[in-house]
Amino acid sequence: MLEIENLHARVEGEGREILKGLDLEIWPGEVHAIMGPNGAGKSTLGNVIAGKDGYEITDGTVRFKEQDLLEMEPEERAAAGIFLAFQYPVEVPGVATMTFLKTALNAQRAARGEDALSTPAFMKLVKEAAEKLSISPEMLRRPINVGFSGGEKKRNEIMQMALLQPTLAVLDETDSGLDIDALRVVADGVNALRSPERSFLIITHYQRLLDYIKPDHVHVLAHGKIVRSGGPELALELEAKGYAEFLEVA
Amino acid sequence: MAAPIVTTDAERALADLFEARAPHFSSAPLDAGRAEAFRRFAAAGLPHRRVEAYKYTDLKARLRNLPAPAAEIGKEEVGNALAAVPPLVDGAVRVIVANGRFAALEGTLPEGLTVASILAPEGAIDAIGALVTGEDDPLTLANVGLFDGGAVLQIEGTVAPLIEIVHLVPGDDLVMGRLAIFLAEGAEARIVERFAAGPKAVTNDMAEITLAPRARLNLTRIVEGGSAEATNLTTHHIRLGAHAVLDHLTVSTGLGLMRAQAFCHVAGDEAEANFRAATVSIGKRHADNTLNVRHNALASRSTEVFRSAVGEGGIAIVQGRIVVDPGAQKTDAKMMSNALFLDDTGEVMNKPELEIFADDVQCGHGATSGDLDEDPIFYLRARGIPEAQARRLLVEAFLLEALENVGDEALSDALAGMLRTAIGAPAEAE
Ligand SMILES: Nc1ncnc2c1ncn2[C@@H]1O[C@H](COP(=O)(O)OP(=O)(O)OP(=O)(O)O)[C@@H](O)[C@H]1O
Ligand SMILES: [Mg+2]
């Protein structure tokens, strides 16, 4: 599904590389977790996968479902099935959440050659998704993320994911800032979407999330590359020992 | 050294027009005031860039020649022209001013509203002209000297339906229409004023708007420039009595030259005036919003919010001046002008002025101009919305914030549709 090979990236106009030869392969149905110290390049990886401007890819390839992902616009990637739940979802004053959701859903459908959803069909989908994530109708009436608490913004990201049904979802620290109940709600939202066709890349600092969402693989990202990979037990080991070992190695 | 000021063809044409009409003026007060106003206009001529208030809109240079003055038109021609200007919302009562003269009423006259020609106002409305005596704005002086006709609206109690005033100018003529709107004590109304003029018409309309104590008025002025050669000049003179509330909005789109002025005198204690403007200036458009608010009462409030989007060489000018008179304590006045560049060819000029002569007041102004933020654009694109559409949604959101006080949902939708079309989006929400 996703094949990243020897990926090097830097911020445009900055000399320093952030990703320095990253390799990662994700197969359909798999859940991968990425952990790593602050500033290691985790969000950068998510942004590069989603197609954010401002990064220069100096070497390497990223393929998604046999396509060269780096050649695609962010909206093409979204229509192809990529979803990034942002570490810091932005507030967009003036754009109503419902307008946004409907526009996004129908734009993706149009890009895939599908008909636009009728308003009642759309409303039904949103209502279901919102209820599952404890998002109130009042919140849906607000402009995107405006006045949402940190945790509400994160739940809103997962609601969008549930609505858009991506095939590869990258969750960038979705668990940070969530209370214990919200963590469960979000984890349930993710687990409900797990299927043999759908994959997840979960960036987190906390082993706790992985108690709820069982990963198939855990990776350590440090200094711009994957320095170690393993099973769920690796997360427990990191929790106990920290990253010191990897920082020395790098 | 300043170059000598020469009289232009346009100024000569206006002087000739005044000479030709003067023998026909009556002894009624409105006619009696014409000579003095025109004399004062002619002494300075059309305002040019060395006149501070017209620094960015040099009318002397832009209006070298003027079209011929419009003649009165018949019912049939009014009807034909109106066919192209359907009502903005269902159920509105329409006041048609054609070629500057009160021409027709459409719809049933609701209770509380009286409409008459300004040339034959019902009853002795000696208050007409009260807001412009001693005024020195040249566009006002030209109108007071040369106005073709117009309408007087008197409002008592609550007028429920929307009142839509349509200025119709079917040809490419010179027109100066005049309105006088009176809201009696405690009266409430919603009014839309719009212009439908020929592609090369030059219009200089003026309205006096008087709110008696506790009156509430929601007033929207729509200026859609029909062509690059169109000229639309519109001036509002407003006075608010105690506890009166005004929500004023100017929406402007399209092409050509437009200057929308408002001079507001907040004269009553605890009165409130809110001014909003949504301006789309794309292509051959020079859009000038000039606002003067004067507070001389206790604890009165005003807010001014201007939103301008410019691109393809379009120009937007925002001149906002707030004056707080000595003794106008507890005045609260806040002005904000935000401009958005749609590309790197538009121009924005912001000229805020605060003149405060009282000490216990809260006044402020701010201005921003810039491009759309990249982060929201990426957020929308990451969810599958194509870039052009994402940008339009964000520009639309930026402009629509100026519509916050419209209240009436149908009108708000119509205005939103107008702004969407102006930025190249489908009129319906995408
Ligand atoms: N636009 C930018 N300009 C300059 N440096 C940047 C930019 N974006 C990221 N960086 C730098 O790149 C490095 C990696 O940042 P990134 O956000 O990917 O880290 P992260 O692994 O997600 O960290 P965290 O766990 O704190 O979220 C950091 O040192 C950061 O300062
Ligand atoms: Mg990060």
Side-chain angles (χ1 to χ4, degrees), chain B residues 211-216 238-246 264-274 293-303 329-333:
Chain B
L211 279 73
R214 275 179 291 281
R216 300 179 80 93
I238 305 161
R239 185 181 194 280
L240 273 73
H243 299 276
V245 180
L246 170 73
C264 180
H265 181 187
V266 184
D269 292 348
E270 297 186 39
E272 175 180 337
N274 302 303
V293 179
R294 178 177 155 222
H295 290 267
N296 73 335
L298 292 176
S300 65
R301 293 175 298 280
S302 73
T303 63
Q329 303 300 6
K330 308 267 186 232
T331 295
D332 185 336

Side-chain angles (χ1 to χ4, degrees), chain B residues 8 15 41 54 59 63 75 80 104 120 158 203-204 221 239 261 285 312 317 370 410 417:
Chain B
T8 61
F41 167 76
Y54 287 81
L59 292 179
L63 297 173
K75 281 215 151 21
N80 291 341
T158 300
T203 61
N204 176 36
R221 167 169 61 177
R239 185 181 194 280
Q261 308 193 106
R285 179 60 154 176
E312 296 174 28
I317 291 144

Side-chain angles (χ1 to χ4, degrees), chain A residues 73 75 84 108 157 160, chain B residues 375 379 381 383-384 387 430:
Chain A
E73 298 293 340
E75 53 269 32
L84 170 64
Q108 290 202 14
E157 295 291 288
Q160 292 173 39
Chain B
D375 285 346
Y379 192 79
R381 294 180 75 190
R383 297 296 177 254
E387 182 175 3
E430 287 181 77

Side-chain angles (χ1 to χ4, degrees), chain A residues 11-12 14 16-19 36-47 52 54-55 87-88 172-173 203-205 221:
Chain A
V11 173
E12 250 166 24
E14 304 253 329
R16 195 165 64 93
E17 274 192 344
I18 299 172
L19 299 181
N38 294 134
K42 302 181 299 295
S43 292
T44 302
L45 174 63
N47 288 337
K52 188 174 161 98
Y55 298 98
Q87 181 173 2
Y88 304 109
D172 191 355
E173 291 195 30
I203 298 168
T204 182
H205 284 297
L221 200 169

Side-chain angles (χ1 to χ4, degrees), chain A residues 47 50-53 73-75 78 82-86 89-95 99-100 103-104 107-108 144-145 157 160 164, chain B residues 307 373-398 400-401 420 429-430:
Chain A
N47 288 337
K52 188 174 161 98
D53 278 345
E73 298 293 340
E75 53 269 32
I82 299 255
F83 180 91
L84 170 64
F86 288 82
V90 292
E91 298 193 6
V92 191
V95 178
T99 308
F100 159 62
T103 308
Q108 290 202 14
I144 305 167
N145 290 327
E157 295 291 288
Q160 292 173 39
L164 296 168
Chain B
R307 290 280 163 110
D373 284 348
E374 288 302 320
D375 285 346
I377 297 174
F378 178 60
Y379 192 79
L380 300 187
R381 294 180 75 190
R383 297 296 177 254
I385 301 174
E387 182 175 3
Q389 198 179 359
R391 286 180 180 275
R392 281 201 307 267
L393 271 173
L394 294 169
V395 176
E396 182 185 314
F398 167 81
L400 296 193
E401 286 198 41
R420 281 191 196 106
E430 287 181 77

